[in-house]
């Protein structure tokens, strides 16, 4: 076999073995490029005699044509194979189920849900929402609420104080939502009907207490508001909130500096193995404190206690959320654990309404 036939066979083998277009291009350059093997053979023609050139020239060009043709065919083949592979790879199965939209995948925190539920219920009763700052003065958090300076009741609120200012006064993180009562009475004239949900803070931490928690305060001031109204409001609220037809409630005498008389409210319940039912049963659960607003508080807020009277209540939002939704540990509410949220959270588009159902 002549050298030239060997070269041709070798090149055709390499072309046949090239597995992609880049490999094929490398073979082309090695044969037909400037320094390629066929180009080198063609360059030898100039030094040949005319007779020899005729014979050799025809032979080399025949090889060149064969190789060029083989390169073209192989390129077409590789191109269509690459296209087939890409088509197979990028196949889209339109019959697969679509992924949940982000609004479906997210979850509403049970506290936000309960917050929405209770503001919905009170708004329906004609209450407006009032808010106040988390950082309060000692005056609004205690003094105007009839906690005399040095009174032991102040010690019951384990308070986070800021460093004293130059004049000796200290700001604090509000220990309850009751200062919003003060702010409301100072800025509005009766009749007043507000609920004040918000964050509250106390130095306390265990399975049933967290340093930051939530309360909702209620306040009604008018000429003839009395405890009967308060009882009705709380009764209606509990029925709507716990989504039961009847709730038995128990009002016990208690003490708060800002109310007189003061009461604590328990609701009746039955504890099962894994759940708790509200409205009936043998157990009682405390859910809030309330009372008639103390005349000293009205006076401190520029309201004449000889003309106006009213009632107030304060309720732990975290507590009623745990009760209603069977959340075992208060601290989980603040853990920001997405697995917990996926389990206990609510679907974002199911906004609580009285007409459509609060929690379903
Ligand atoms: N502020 C009280 C607390 O945090 C709760 C409370 C009790 C609020 C009676 C009230 C009320 O408005 O009348 O312990």
């Amino acid at each position: 076999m002549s050298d030239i036939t060997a070269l041709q066979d070798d090149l055709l083998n390499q072309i046949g073995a090239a597995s992609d277009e880049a490999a094929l291009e490398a073979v082309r350059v090695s044969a037909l490029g400037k320094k390629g093997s066929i180009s080198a053979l063609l360059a030898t023609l100039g030094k040949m005699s005319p007779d020899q050139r005729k014979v050799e020239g025809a032979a080399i060009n025949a090889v060149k044509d064969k190789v060029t043709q083989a390169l073209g065919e192989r390129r077409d083949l590789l191109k269509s194979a690459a296209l087939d592979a890409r088509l197979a790879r990028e196949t889209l199965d339109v019959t697969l189920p679509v992924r949940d939209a982000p609004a479906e995948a997210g979850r509403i925190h049970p506290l936000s849900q309960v917050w929405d539920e209770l503001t919905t219920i009170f708004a329906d009763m004609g209450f407006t929402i009032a808010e106040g700052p988390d950082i309060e003065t000692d005056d609004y958090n205690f003094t105007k609420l009839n906690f005399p300076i040095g009174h032991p009741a102040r010690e019951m609120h384990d308070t986070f104080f800021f460093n004293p200012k130059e004049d000796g006064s200290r700001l604090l993180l509000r220990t309850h939502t009751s200062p919003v009562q003060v702010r409301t009475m100072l800025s509005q004239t009766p009749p007043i009907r507000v609920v004040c949900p918000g964050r509250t803070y106390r130095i306390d931490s265990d399975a049933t207490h967290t340093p930051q928690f939530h309360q909702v305060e209620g306040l009604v001031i008018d000429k003839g508001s009395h405890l009967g109204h308060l009882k009705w409001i709380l009764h209606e609220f509990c029925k709507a909130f716990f989504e039961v037809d009847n709730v038995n409630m128990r009002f016990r005498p208690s003490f708060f500096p800002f109310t007189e008389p003061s009461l604590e409210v328990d609701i009746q319940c039955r504890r099962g193995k894994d759940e708790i039912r509200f409205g009936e049963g043998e157990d009682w659960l405390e859910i809030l404190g309330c009372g008639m607003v103390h005349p000293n508080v009205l006076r401190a807020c520029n309201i004449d206690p000889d003309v106006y009277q009213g009632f107030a209540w304060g309720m732990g939002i975290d507590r009623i959320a745990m009760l209603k939704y069977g959340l075992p540990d208060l601290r989980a509410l603040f853990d920001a654990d997405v697995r917990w949220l996926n389990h206990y959270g609510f679907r974002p588009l199911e906004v609580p309404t009285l007409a459509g159902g609060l929690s379903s």
Side-chain angles (χ1 to χ4, degrees), residues 157 175-178 181 202 215 217-218 256 258-259 289-291 312-315:
H157 292 211
T175 57
H176 50 176
T177 40
S178 302
Q181 286 189 26
R202 287 188 203 178
Q215 286 189 341
E217 192 82 10
F256 302 104
F258 35 89
T259 43
C290 61
W313 71 90
M315 187 161 44

Side-chain angles (χ1 to χ4, degrees), residues 130-133 136-137 139-147 157 174-186 194-200 202 213-219 256-259 289-290 293 297 301 312-315:
E131 286 184 308
E136 264 299 358
T137 61
D139 188 36
Y140 282 14
N141 195 80
F142 291 125
T143 312
K144 281 195 165 44
L145 287 165
N146 198 32
F147 288 80
H157 292 211
R174 65 178 177 194
T175 57
H176 50 176
T177 40
S178 302
V180 188
Q181 286 189 26
V182 175
R183 292 178 173 273
T184 308
M185 286 190 269
L186 287 173
V194 289
V195 288
C196 328
R199 278 188 288 268
T200 45
R202 287 188 203 178
F213 56 106
H214 302 84
Q215 286 189 341
V216 57
E217 192 82 10
L219 175 71
F256 302 104
F258 35 89
T259 43
C290 61
V293 179
V297 176
C301 298
W313 71 90
M315 187 161 44

Side-chain angles (χ1 to χ4, degrees), residues 249-269:
M249 305 176 83
R250 184 167 77 172
F251 289 73
R252 281 182 290 109
S254 183
F255 170 78
F256 302 104
F258 35 89
T259 43
E260 181 57 36
S262 301
L263 309 154
E264 273 173 327
V265 179
D266 303 332
I267 59 169
Q268 203 163 39
C269 62

